[in-house]
Structures are given as structure tokens and as C-alpha cells.
Amino acid sequence: MARLIMLGTGGGRHTTMFQARSTGGFLLDAGKSRIHMDPGPGALTNMCNIGYDLRSTDAILVSHCHPDHYSDAEVAVEGMTYGGWQKRGMLCGSISVMEGFQGLGPCISPYHLTLPSENHTLVPGDRLEFSGVSIDITRSDHSDPTTVGFKCITDDGILSYVTDTSYSDEIAEQYIGSKILLLPVTTPDGNRIRGHLCTDDAIRFIDYVRPDLAVFIHLGIVMLKVDPDKQADKAERATGVKTISGKDLMTLDIDTLNIGQLIPSRPEWNDAWEL
């Protein structure tokens, strides 16, 4: 059964700077593959807090070259490759992440690019294949023009991670058929910031895609101040689609849509340290 672990549900400069919410992205456990998407600040801390062995990661995907999405990526690569001693796993990122673009990035060093077995520079229209999941690469409208989104096709249904974008019907159309829609809703109500979604945009997005479940993530500091649970409830009332606000270390089973919550419990000793 495919399962999601939220390593962070915050986003934007101020949430990131003060870690009002972690900004660590999420782990997709597809059974035979474990994929870490957008390992920003807090990813390593939260993985340690739940006793996760970074060596079990099979792929790291980075949507674009903003620090709340990539800052822990190089150390996550080192973990995936057993400290750089074993060439394994896959590293994938947008053009800005992998090569640099118009002054952004690259955010992965030449050394770290040598560690995985495979590296891929992602553009919309690409497809990645893993055991238990295929991932279609989608287009975004963000201040990093190379930003990509991810539509993950699992045996239990489609999980879509929209990543940072402005709203348009063309952007939303890519995610038709999604069972779960992870929406980066940075600001509340109609408080729109260029290249990001606010709650009113999220309502349009949800109404267009009609998933079984929508989850607000990438919560900015103003969103946190006004209560993201109430904003999610506003979207649910407007669309009739079940909508929740994500929580750090929340778990979500894609098949059943069961939601759980991991409790941080940092072990005194992690067996993964027995190198």
C-alpha cells in the first residue's frame, strides 16, 4: 500500500526562516520504492526524529531552485548513497536545480551529482518509472520558470503534488484524475502572491480537478496566523470536496485515505548508524 509521510507542511520565506512549520517536503513510500520530494529545511531533522533510515531512499526529486524546496537535498543524497560510498539511487530536478537557469542554481554540487546511479534533468512531459509508481512531470507557473510538478501514478490511485504555481485552468487540467491533490496554498482567502496559490485559487483548482481529497501544504506565515484548518474548511464548503490542512509528520494512505500522525521520538541510537 502506497503511503505518504509529510516531513514538512510549511513554505515561503518567513515560515522557512523561523521554521514555524517544517519545510522538509514528503516521503512517498510506494512499497518497493521510497521517493523523497523537495527536501527543504527540516527534512533531515524530521527523518531523524522518526528513525527513518536515509539509506532506504531510492530517489530524490526537487521541483525548483528555491531553498524551502532543496536545502537538505545534498545531505539526503549522501544518505541515499550510504555517505557516498555506494553508488545507488536516482536524483532528479528541474533545469535550475541541476544545471542552473537565469541566475538560479544549480543547487546540487558537481560532487553530489557523481554519487547517485542516475541523474535526470526534468522538463514537463517527462515520465519517471520506479517500482510501484510512475511519475509524470507537469508544468507550473512560478518565479522560477523551470519549476515542475509531479503526478504520481500508483496502484492505489494518483497522488498529485502541484508544487508552487499560479492558477490557470491549463495548469489544473494536468491533474485531472487525481485521487489526492497536494496543493501549495501559501496565503489565505484572496491574498494572492504572484507565482503562488491563495485559498480562493485553491477553491478553483479543487473544483476543476475534483479529487477525492485535497490537502493544503506549503503554508505561509500569514496562512498560519489565520488558521489553515479554517481555510481548508472554507474550500471544502465551497467545492464539496473533502479538504484538509496538512500537518508535519502526518501520514496518508493513498488507498484508503486514512490519515495518521507520527509522534517525534528521536531514538538514542539508530541502527542505521551502524556503518
Side-chain angles (χ1 to χ4, degrees):
M1 181 187 301
R3 186 172 80 139
L4 187 71
I5 300 175
M6 299 303 306
L7 297 174
T9 53
R13 289 180 177 86
H14 289 86
T15 298
T16 304
M17 287 189 298
F18 300 111
Q19 287 294 280
R21 288 281 184 96
S22 179
T23 43
F26 65 90
L27 291 167
L28 172 60
D29 186 345
K32 295 182 179 178
S33 300
R34 289 186 174 185
I35 301 164
H36 190 172
M37 297 193 186
D38 281 357
L44 296 167
T45 298
N46 275 338
M47 284 189 285
C48 184
N49 283 340
I50 62 174
Y52 177 77
D53 184 349
L54 275 71
R55 298 175 303 175
S56 66
T57 299
D58 298 296
I60 296 166
L61 278 55
V62 184
S63 64
H64 65 288
C65 196
H66 288 159
D68 51 339
H69 296 259
Y70 75 73
S71 74
D72 282 7
E74 289 181 333
V75 181
V77 167
E78 293 186 8
M80 181 175 68
T81 60
Y82 290 44
W85 289 103
Q86 184 171 332
K87 199 171 184 69
R88 65 174 300 275
M90 183 186 296
L91 172 64
C92 307
S94 69
I95 294 171
S96 59
V97 169
M98 305 296 281
E99 302 172 8
F101 186 82
Q102 296 181 352
L104 289 168
C107 64
I108 307 294
S109 75
Y111 165 72
H112 288 91
L113 290 175
T114 69
L115 301 183
S117 297
E118 298 181 53
N119 295 321
H120 296 282
T121 300
L122 303 176
V123 295
D126 286 349
R127 171 171 278 204
L128 300 170
E129 297 285 356
F130 305 94
S131 181
V133 60
S134 301
I135 302 179
D136 288 337
I137 307 305
T138 56
R139 181 174 62 86
S140 295
D141 177 16
H142 190 46
S143 55
D144 176 348
T146 73
T147 301
V148 295
F150 305 103
K151 188 174 182 180
C152 308
I153 304 161
T154 78
D155 292 339
D156 298 316
I158 296 174
L159 165 75
S160 289
Y161 171 37
V162 173
T163 72
D164 293 352
T165 188
S166 295
Y167 178 80
S168 71
D169 289 350
E170 292 74 22
I171 295 291
E173 186 175 12
Q174 301 173 104
Y175 300 101
I176 293 290
S178 299
K179 184 174 184 177
I180 300 171
L181 191 65
L182 301 181
L183 281 175
V185 190
T186 308
T187 50
D189 299 317
N191 185 3
R192 190 171 290 107
I193 300 173
R194 172 76 176 88
H196 296 277
L197 300 176
C198 61
T199 299
D200 290 355
D201 292 330
I203 289 170
R204 297 170 65 195
F205 213 123
I206 294 166
D207 205 34
Y208 196 102
V209 176
R210 307 300 300 175
D212 292 345
L213 174 67
V215 184
F216 283 14
I217 58 171
H218 199 274
L219 307 172
I221 201 73
V222 177
M223 173 67 93
L224 294 174
K225 285 181 179 179
V226 304
D227 190 344
D229 289 337
K230 290 182 179 178
Q231 292 291 303
D233 183 62
K234 174 183 176 179
E236 181 169 330
R237 285 185 280 107
T239 64
V241 173
K242 182 173 177 58
T243 304
I244 64 171
S245 167
K247 306 291 189 296
D248 291 358
L249 298 185
M250 182 183 84
T251 64
L252 176 58
D253 293 331
I254 296 176
D255 181 22
T256 62
L257 300 182
N258 284 339
I259 297 167
Q261 184 68 41
L262 298 177
I263 306 300
S265 180
R266 188 169 188 153
E268 290 186 14
W269 186 261
N270 189 328
D271 290 342
W273 302 343
E274 299 280 6
L275 298 177

